[in-house]
Amino acid sequence: MKSVTVSAPGKLMLLGEHAVVYGYPCIVTAVNQRLRLTATIHDEPLLIINAPDMRIVDYKRPITMLGETETPKEVQFVAIAVKNFNEKYGLKTGISIATASEFKSTIGFGSSSASTVCVIKALSELFGKELTNKEIFDLSYKTVLDIQKKGSGFDVASAIFGKTLYFVTGGKTILPLAIDNFPIVVGYSGVKADTVRLINKVSLLFNENPKLVKDIYKDIGKIVEKAKTALEEKNCQVLGELMNLNQIHLAKLGVSTRKLDVMIHASRDAGAYGAKLSGAGGGDCMFAFAPENRMKIIEKAIKKSGGEIMQITSNAQGVRVEK
Ligand code: PMV
């Protein structure tokens, strides 16, 4: 049976989270841990999903009925991506999909968006649609919004384009930055963040105090612009200071946690240029930007404050077909 394997990278939000949901830019880097997906054509008009990492074995649904009843959380991004591809391009066969990830779905590296992007890329390849990256983005972002209702799409863009992106809400700008890998230390807080809950929390704060939150978003927007230049000019000190400022704003939005704060302060004390949380907050990861010769000491400091080190490199390749 005809089949194709594709892979997409996980991501790490560097600066600009939350404000990016409301029209401001962010900077995101693709990491070198990937999600792999194999799609195989078969005769019955069914979608079959196997995702051992999510404990899913032989989930089966008729393709025409996808999304009609409640879809289990573990398979919804794959199932709704297949539904959306079918509605747009018409699948004339059944599809089996198997996924395997190098990173856990609990750490906030974007397994949902990576699997969505992989489905659209794999089906595009299998059925000779030759979709452009922008077309893959539009269908994948629609899938994420169908499920989550909210989100900027930065994670979808990162899985497709890879590298380090300057990104504006909904893909209005998707600009790969001409930079090399830069050294970061990533620490997982041990708590899985619920992105939608945190977006809602910030939007409640906005309703209570729109001026405060608008000013914070505006400032975050300026920080991201300056950080883009600092990254391009390899101005480490300035980039570190901008990360620290961004973290102050995130704390004001109420999305940092005690555990993240402790890990962030420990890495600054150990010599990082800057450190902040990454993503929605409430858990998941923090990262420190550091001189190469301080990396090990910072890793130790993060571990000592209860964090788990994620060994990653930045600026990874976007979605690709595997041989
Ligand atoms: O929780 P994460 O890593 O998916 O990051 C969410 C970042 C937000 O800006 C809060 C939401 C978004 O879609 O941009």
Side-chain angles (χ1 to χ4, degrees), residues 11-13 16-22 26 107-110 113 141 144 148 150-155 167 169 193-196 198-199 202 250 255 278-281 283-285:
K11 57 86 184 130
L12 193 73
M13 173 70 100
E17 47 274 90
H18 287 288
V20 67
V21 181
Y22 300 95
C26 73
I107 56 174
F109 277 6
S113 44
Y141 185 40
V144 170
Q148 282 188 184
K150 288 174 184 166
S152 65
F154 81 102
D155 41 3
F167 174 91
T169 327
D194 180 341
T195 303
V196 175
L198 282 140
I199 295 178
V202 174
L250 291 166
V255 298
S278 169
D284 283 351
C285 291

Side-chain angles (χ1 to χ4, degrees), residues 14-16 24-27 166 177 179 217-246 249 289:
L14 296 181
L15 298 111
Y24 294 90
C26 73
I27 299 176
Y166 169 90
L177 301 182
I179 56 170
Y217 289 160
K218 260 192 221 156
D219 270 359
I220 293 179
K222 285 183 199 153
I223 288 170
V224 170
E225 296 297 347
K226 288 183 191 158
K228 174 176 175 284
T229 309
L231 260 171
E232 286 165 339
E233 292 175 354
K234 295 193 180 144
N235 195 336
C236 302
Q237 296 287 358
V238 169
L239 183 61
E241 281 159 26
L242 291 166
M243 285 169 58
N244 293 344
L245 279 178
N246 194 162
H249 285 308
F289 175 52

